[in-house]
Amino acid sequence: MQENLVNALRSQRARIRERWETLLHAEPVTTPLADPDALVHLMEWTLGEIFRDLTAVPSRRRQGRRPTGGENRPSCPCGLNPLLAYFAVGEQVMREALVLAQAAASALDPLDRDASLVELDLVLHQIARREIESFCGVCQYRNAVPCAASAAPTPSSRAVLAGHAR
């Protein structure tokens, strides 16, 4: 990702964190560990990881790597992992922030714009997958049959967004 876009994202860090917290509070709480007030303490660490990963490897090394179907969404066998909603909301907020940064960069080439989104998604999915799989590794339900009600939680943040856009 271009350095100017990473810097633009960094400059939005406080807004990103605030938005992430707001949308996280709109998500259904599946377990006590999914309490948004507990998860917000992970945000600074997660943002640090995202910015570190965006700048750690030159973009040209990652451009050939596109997220495949298996990399799109980390999964959890029981659907109760509190990090599922945490990272889904984080992805939404980071994508919003990138779009705002790209809109401010009027001379941005469309190919660079698209590559930046792919790169952001790749970084987000790698971090989410690593953390979600680590949490699932110690889960007492890791060998349980997925619960239909919890396996696909409906993000209520879309409702918050709809009200926010009005």
Side-chain angles (χ1 to χ4, degrees):
M1 183 178 294
Q2 294 178 352
E3 187 177 343
N4 64 329
L5 288 176
V6 175
N7 290 335
L9 286 173
R10 279 192 179 115
S11 72
Q12 296 182 64
R13 190 175 185 134
R15 190 200 70 75
I16 290 169
R17 191 179 191 292
E18 181 181 314
R19 181 93 168 116
W20 194 345
E21 184 173 349
T22 300
L23 293 179
L24 192 57
H25 275 90
E27 290 294 316
V29 177
T30 56
T31 68
L33 290 174
D35 181 344
D37 293 328
L39 294 173
V40 296
H41 299 290
L42 297 173
M43 288 179 189
E44 281 304 314
W45 175 85
T46 306
L47 288 169
E49 289 288 299
I50 292 168
F51 293 131
R52 181 186 58 101
D53 288 359
L54 284 173
T55 58
V57 179
S59 297
R60 62 184 177 277
R61 285 193 192 167
R62 282 194 234 169
Q63 282 179 348
R65 191 148 181 238
R66 294 197 174 273
T68 62
E71 288 179 324
N72 283 342
R73 298 269 183 262
S75 63
C76 167
C78 71
L80 297 175
N81 190 319
L83 299 176
L84 291 171
Y86 173 80
F87 281 110
V89 170
E91 178 181 357
Q92 177 181 338
V93 172
M94 289 302 298
R95 290 176 125 228
E96 288 175 8
L98 180 61
V99 168
L100 291 173
Q102 290 174 334
S106 58
L108 187 63
D109 179 82
L111 293 175
D112 289 337
R113 180 195 64 225
D114 293 347
S116 295
L117 181 61
V118 168
E119 191 168 346
L120 177 65
D121 283 347
L122 183 62
V123 164
L124 291 168
H125 295 160
Q126 287 173 340
I127 294 168
R129 172 162 277 97
R130 180 184 70 217
E131 297 306 315
I132 289 169
E133 287 176 357
S134 292
F135 193 92
C136 283
V138 297
C139 177
Q140 65 183 350
Y141 300 112
R142 70 179 166 263
N143 296 320
V145 177
C147 171
S150 63
T154 307
S156 59
S157 59
R158 295 193 203 317
V160 171
L161 275 179
H164 181 69
R166 290 181 194 168

